[in-house]
Amino acid sequence: MDIQNYKHHKKILVAVDCIIFGFDGSELKALLIKRGFEPERGKWSLMGGFVGENENADKAALRVLHQLTGMKDVYVEQLHTFTDINRDTAGRVISIAYFALINIAGYNRQLEQEHESHWFPLNKMPALIFDHKKMVEKAKGMLRQKVATHPVGFELLAKKFTLPQLQNLYEAIYETELDKRNFAKKMLSLGILKKLDEKERESSKKGAFYYVFDAVKYRKLESNVLKFI
């Protein structure tokens, strides 16, 4: 193609928007910010930004995530590209959406005031700007698909966890109650959880044993199709 042909096409802005999920032990939540500029200044929004001239979309998403959470080692995955012509009221903007999973306990809360951010349960979210609600819904659907066959759910938990805590997570993701005995049996049968000698005793006098996710064992079984639920 003749390079002169490029000059005849109008330039279009490319942005990234990040759906950040966290789990507080009972509810699945999304991290939102108060938008600090027009249009829609002061309204709730996903954290996002434009892709820089010298970075690709993945690097832009990681930059945005670090700015908001203070975390670098974050599970993040590209979700979908949103291209509706009028999706942004300020102009023609294509947005590449990413979803991220973080442990809320590791989140840098000092950044909350800087970005006016807040964790909202998914069933109690405020109105969002543009098509951000559609992004959150699509990310929730993708998360449900992923945790069924991949161990990404462990990204939302502390390094060590109990089986009841793990069950609480899956119940929050799928918004349904699971049978305690069947859930524990299923998870232990996968062979990817390592039982510790330590117990969590705050929830009950008897206490529940802690487990950790065994990434080494999982990699050996990764070629098989595992079903977590």
Side-chain angles (χ1 to χ4, degrees):
M1 177 185 288
D2 189 337
I3 196 169
Q4 294 299 318
N5 288 331
Y6 283 79
K7 297 180 179 180
H8 300 305
H9 293 276
K10 186 177 180 180
K11 292 183 179 180
I12 298 175
L13 294 171
V14 178
V16 292
D17 284 296
C18 298
I19 304 97
I20 304 172
F21 289 132
F23 179 63
D24 68 355
S26 61
E27 292 182 302
L28 186 65
K29 296 182 174 182
L31 187 60
L32 305 178
I33 65 167
K34 279 285 187 73
R35 187 169 167 95
F37 54 91
E38 297 293 352
E40 310 293 349
R41 181 185 180 94
K43 295 184 179 181
W44 290 107
S45 165
L46 296 172
M47 184 66 172
F50 293 111
V51 178
E53 185 176 357
N54 297 312
E55 63 181 358
N56 58 31
D58 289 352
K59 287 186 177 180
L62 290 174
R63 170 175 54 79
V64 167
L65 286 167
H66 179 63
Q67 288 174 348
L68 182 57
T69 67
M71 302 170 71
K72 290 186 177 180
D73 188 18
V74 174
Y75 178 89
V76 59
E77 184 174 339
Q78 190 175 126
L79 173 67
H80 186 74
T81 302
F82 292 81
T83 63
D84 286 354
I85 296 174
N86 298 314
R87 58 167 303 277
D88 189 321
T89 58
R92 183 75 167 101
V93 181
I94 289 175
S95 178
I96 305 172
Y98 288 78
F99 78 94
L101 309 177
I102 71 173
N103 177 9
I104 289 181
Y107 166 63
N108 187 340
R109 297 192 179 277
Q110 292 182 349
L111 295 173
E112 284 187 352
Q113 291 184 340
E114 180 180 338
H115 295 287
E116 293 190 71
S117 58
H118 184 76
W119 288 100
F120 284 95
L122 295 192
N123 61 351
K124 299 175 184 176
M125 292 182 62
L128 300 178
I129 68 169
F130 306 152
D131 51 0
H132 288 192
K133 181 179 179 181
K134 185 186 297 185
M135 293 180 181
V136 174
E137 289 300 316
K138 194 170 188 66
K140 184 169 71 171
M142 174 66 79
L143 177 61
R144 288 179 174 179
Q145 292 179 27
K146 294 288 290 188
V147 299
T149 55
H150 297 79
V152 298
F154 297 109
E155 302 288 342
L156 293 163
L157 294 170
K159 185 176 181 180
K160 60 181 182 180
F161 50 84
T162 66
L163 289 178
Q165 289 170 345
L166 183 60
Q167 181 172 337
N168 287 344
L169 171 64
Y170 276 80
E171 288 181 339
I173 292 173
Y174 287 102
E175 297 179 302
T176 189
E177 291 187 10
L178 302 171
D179 181 80
K180 181 179 179 180
R181 183 175 296 180
N182 289 340
F183 179 84
K185 183 178 179 180
K186 176 66 175 179
M187 285 295 173
L188 294 176
S189 70
L190 297 174
I192 59 172
L193 298 183
K194 182 179 179 181
K195 187 178 182 180
L196 304 180
D197 293 329
E198 183 182 354
K199 281 188 173 184
E200 188 274 321
R201 297 186 181 278
E202 293 183 7
S203 302
S204 67
K205 292 182 180 180
K206 184 178 178 181
F209 280 103
Y210 279 115
Y211 288 81
V212 293
F213 170 62
D214 193 328
V216 175
K217 284 188 177 180
Y218 173 72
R219 283 194 290 269
K220 291 179 180 179
L221 299 170
E222 197 171 4
S223 59
N224 302 327
V225 178
L226 298 182
K227 292 187 177 181
F228 289 79
I229 193 169

